[in-house]
């Protein structure tokens, strides 16, 4: 049974899989920083966010065409914009 466990000698993970692992490491580092488990400088946080923007899709740029009834959930950007608009109206 020991022969069937693990990878065969000479196995090479695909480049796509390697990139996914690297991206998840960046995300995990940022999450650990937010939770207070890892110290990161402002430059490191900024660089991590910049790298994630390159590999993760921008949710606000996704377009969907649907028919019928729809329960809409706003994206974070839309919620922020709505809150700013409401605050602006309240100031007047």
């Amino acid at each position: 049974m020991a022969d069937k466990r693990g990878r065969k000698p000479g196995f090479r993970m695909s480049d796509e899989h390697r990139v996914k692992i690297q991206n998840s490491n960046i995300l995990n580092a940022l999450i650990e920083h937010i939770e207070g488990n890892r110290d990161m400088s402002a430059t490191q946080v900024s660089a991590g966010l910049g790298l994630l923007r390159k590999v993760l899709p921008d949710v606000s740029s996704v377009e969907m065409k649907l028919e019928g009834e729809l329960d809409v959930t706003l994206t974070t950007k839309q919620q922020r914009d709505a809150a700013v608009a409401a605050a602006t109206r309240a100031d007047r």
Side-chain angles (χ1 to χ4, degrees):
M1 281 252 174
D3 299 345
K4 297 187 184 230
R5 298 184 89 185
R7 296 187 174 113
K8 295 179 182 176
F11 173 82
R12 175 145 167 91
M13 197 175 300
S14 71
D15 288 337
E16 180 182 350
H17 194 75
R18 289 172 179 265
V19 169
K20 286 182 181 183
I21 291 171
Q22 291 168 346
N23 295 339
S24 69
N25 288 339
I26 295 167
L27 183 59
N28 288 337
L30 290 170
I31 290 170
E32 288 175 8
H33 176 66
I34 291 169
E35 292 174 341
N37 299 328
R38 176 187 288 233
D39 289 330
M40 294 176 73
S41 69
T43 304
Q44 289 173 315
V45 171
S46 180
L49 291 173
L51 289 169
L52 284 181
R53 283 189 197 101
K54 288 180 169 262
V55 297
L56 294 177
D58 183 6
V59 177
S60 64
S61 68
V62 175
E63 180 181 332
M64 294 175 57
K65 295 183 181 182
L66 303 171
E67 294 180 16
E69 287 189 33
L70 179 65
D71 182 15
V72 177
T73 303
L74 298 176
T75 65
T76 303
K77 181 181 182 316
Q78 290 170 322
Q79 291 171 341
R80 184 187 67 226
D81 292 346
V84 169
T88 303
R89 285 192 302 271
D91 288 342
R92 292 181 185 168

